[in-house]
Amino acid sequence: MEICSLRSAARLLSLTLVLVLASFTATFTLFAAEPSPGVLKAKKEAEAKGYLFAASHDEIVAKAKQEGKLNVIVSLDAKILKALADGFTKKYPFIQVRVEEIRGIDAYTRQLQELKAGLVKDVDVNEVDYDYYNEYLPHLKKVDMYGMVQQRVLQMAPQMVDPINRNIVAVGSGIQVSVFNKKLISADKVPDTWEGFLKPEFKDRKFALGIRPKDVAALVPAWGLEKTLDFARKLSAQNPIWVSGDTRTITSMLGGEYTVFFGPNFDSALRAKSKDKMDVLDYKFSEPVIVRLNESEAILTSAQNPYAALLWLEFAASPEGQKVLEEGGPYEGSVFSQGTVQEKAVRGRKQSVVDWQHYPRMPEYIKKVVEAYGFPRAEK
């Protein structure tokens, strides 16, 4: 009898310890998961303005797991998209991802009309082209990504997120450089500043200049609009060789058709230089170095899987996602992501950054620069 009583007492003690431990663990878990006062305040303020705001990353993952699907249509190259999708699936295997590339003004225009007509039902993450930036806004879900990034619920550089609309992320960036044929001109004669192209030695078809002035228009943040337009008029008066297309023009430089090219994309220059077996091409960072936001993406109002979409945007902006953009683009990562080719290139240099204040106004700047050049701009 005494032995039985001892065994019963031992079992009771053991059960009590288990219950106490379980209670302690549950209490600890609840305490650990409790959002900070800052997060709760930000959530309350965001929701009062009609924004979706998740209080924790675990909440986003849990709800994304319930959704289980994700549909993405953006302007990244199909190969890059596949690599991003593979990396995303590896990290979140419970989400089935479908990705699709969309490129070109015609494609953006057609899709925008479909959005306005309410015909887009199966897309979660969508491209937000800066030519139509403001027209996209009514069709984007009110998700306070900027607030969630500030509260570290989402992990990405704050500069990647539109702080005004709060629901758009630019996962890449562009830099403009001067590209030259070093067999035809020495590096020391290529201008160190953009204003150097106004020197007499560059007059009368001595350099190539793109007819779509995304480069010159992007000087507005550093110079202001009036100085930029005055520069555009003087640049046009230099009688440059008007060209269209970075890749096409740089390829022609290999054959000696052009000496210097004003303002092509840095990534285009790097790709061409990597394939330049004759060692003809080189580039220079003319200052202020022009930095533009690229690859802006957002969640549509009609999105069926908004939490999975949040994870996608976070992944594209993460070191893993940026590595895909760097290697697959190549060189298409964000200047705001530590360690990318773009970020390293602009360190310590004077810059003209087309940030979120200027990004939606780029079509306006481009139109005015085209007028300053002295030839009309085709209407959209």
Side-chain angles (χ1 to χ4, degrees):
M1 290 292 292
E2 291 183 3
I3 294 175
C4 290
S5 298
L6 287 172
R7 286 177 178 172
S8 297
R11 282 198 296 269
L12 182 60
L13 179 60
S14 177
L15 180 60
T16 303
L17 288 172
V18 169
L19 290 173
V20 170
L21 181 61
S23 176
F24 175 79
T25 302
T27 303
F28 178 79
T29 301
L30 284 172
F31 179 78
E34 184 69 25
S36 69
V39 170
L40 292 175
K41 182 174 182 290
K43 177 179 174 67
K44 183 178 180 180
E45 291 175 351
E47 290 178 344
K49 296 176 182 177
Y51 283 89
L52 181 152
F53 192 108
S56 70
H57 197 269
D58 287 343
E59 177 188 340
I60 297 173
V61 173
K63 291 183 177 179
K65 193 170 186 177
Q66 291 175 353
E67 293 168 349
K69 292 183 179 180
L70 177 65
N71 297 318
V72 178
I73 298 183
V74 292
S75 68
L76 289 167
D77 180 82
K79 291 181 179 179
I80 301 177
L81 272 174
K82 184 181 182 306
L84 275 175
D86 289 344
F88 181 80
T89 301
K90 185 177 180 181
K91 188 168 186 176
Y92 302 109
F94 47 82
I95 300 175
Q96 182 182 345
V97 187
R98 178 175 64 85
V99 293
E100 184 180 336
E101 175 188 359
I102 180 172
R103 289 202 180 206
I105 295 298
D106 290 343
Y108 299 143
T109 304
R110 182 176 62 255
Q111 193 208 44
L112 191 54
Q113 295 307 313
E114 292 173 350
L115 281 171
K116 291 177 178 179
L119 300 176
V120 179
K121 302 292 186 184
D122 60 344
V123 178
D124 300 306
V125 177
N126 200 78
E127 182 76 13
V128 183
D129 180 65
Y130 72 72
D131 280 295
Y132 305 99
Y133 197 83
N134 292 323
E135 293 185 58
Y136 277 104
L137 295 180
H139 308 287
L140 305 181
K141 195 170 189 66
K142 292 188 71 174
V143 182
D144 190 5
M145 284 186 277
Y146 187 72
M148 285 188 275
V149 168
Q150 286 185 313
Q151 295 299 325
R152 308 301 291 167
V153 173
L154 289 173
Q155 303 296 316
M156 65 179 75
Q159 300 96 319
M160 289 183 173
V161 189
D162 181 345
I164 302 165
N165 297 295
R166 308 180 77 86
N167 59 350
I168 303 167
V169 179
V171 300
S173 61
I175 299 174
Q176 313 308 133
V177 296
S178 297
V179 175
F180 59 98
N181 183 320
K182 59 187 180 183
K183 305 295 182 183
L184 301 178
I185 188 172
S186 59
D188 63 299
K189 295 194 182 319
V190 177
D192 295 317
T193 67
W194 298 113
E195 291 158 301
F197 281 91
L198 301 181
K199 293 178 180 178
E201 56 263 39
F202 286 101
K203 189 171 180 60
D204 292 327
R205 300 179 66 79
K206 297 299 192 304
F207 65 96
L209 179 63
I211 59 173
R212 178 171 167 78
K214 65 182 186 299
D215 38 32
V216 175
L219 287 166
V220 172
W223 289 355
L225 184 58
E226 291 309 314
K227 179 178 177 178
T228 301
L229 295 181
D230 181 63
F231 174 70
R233 286 187 282 268
K234 292 175 180 176
L235 199 63
S236 180
Q238 288 288 79
N239 189 27
I241 305 169
W242 297 103
V243 296
S244 177
D246 288 0
T247 302
R248 182 188 311 160
T249 304
I250 293 174
T251 300
S252 297
M253 293 185 77
L254 291 168
E257 188 171 344
Y258 308 114
T259 302
V260 186
F261 186 11
F262 179 110
N265 293 328
F266 180 44
D267 57 291
S268 297
L270 287 176
R271 285 195 291 270
K273 189 169 172 57
S274 69
K275 299 175 183 177
D276 179 16
K277 296 180 180 179
M278 297 182 292
D279 193 25
V280 169
L281 296 174
D282 209 344
Y283 59 86
K284 177 177 279 191
F285 292 102
S286 300
E287 293 190 353
V289 177
I290 295 167
V291 178
R292 299 179 298 106
L293 297 171
N294 263 349
E295 305 298 343
S296 54
E297 305 175 4
I299 304 170
L300 292 183
T301 303
S302 58
Q304 299 298 305
N305 310 293
Y307 290 93
L310 281 173
L311 293 180
W312 171 271
L313 294 171
E314 181 185 51
F315 179 78
S318 72
E320 303 103 301
Q322 291 292 297
K323 184 178 180 182
V324 172
L325 294 177
E326 285 284 277
E327 296 176 353
Y331 320 119
E332 292 189 5
S334 172
V335 73
F336 302 118
S337 182
Q338 189 73 20
T340 62
V341 170
Q342 306 270 14
E343 186 269 331
K344 291 176 182 177
V346 301
R347 285 181 191 172
R349 300 182 187 275
K350 294 180 181 178
Q351 301 173 32
S352 182
V353 182
V354 181
D355 58 15
W356 294 104
Q357 176 187 350
H358 296 279
Y359 187 73
R361 300 187 65 186
M362 277 296 285
E364 171 195 343
Y365 298 160
I366 288 173
K367 181 178 180 179
K368 289 182 181 295
V369 170
V370 168
E371 291 170 352
Y373 280 169
F375 49 83
R377 179 178 184 266
E379 292 299 321
K380 292 186 286 190

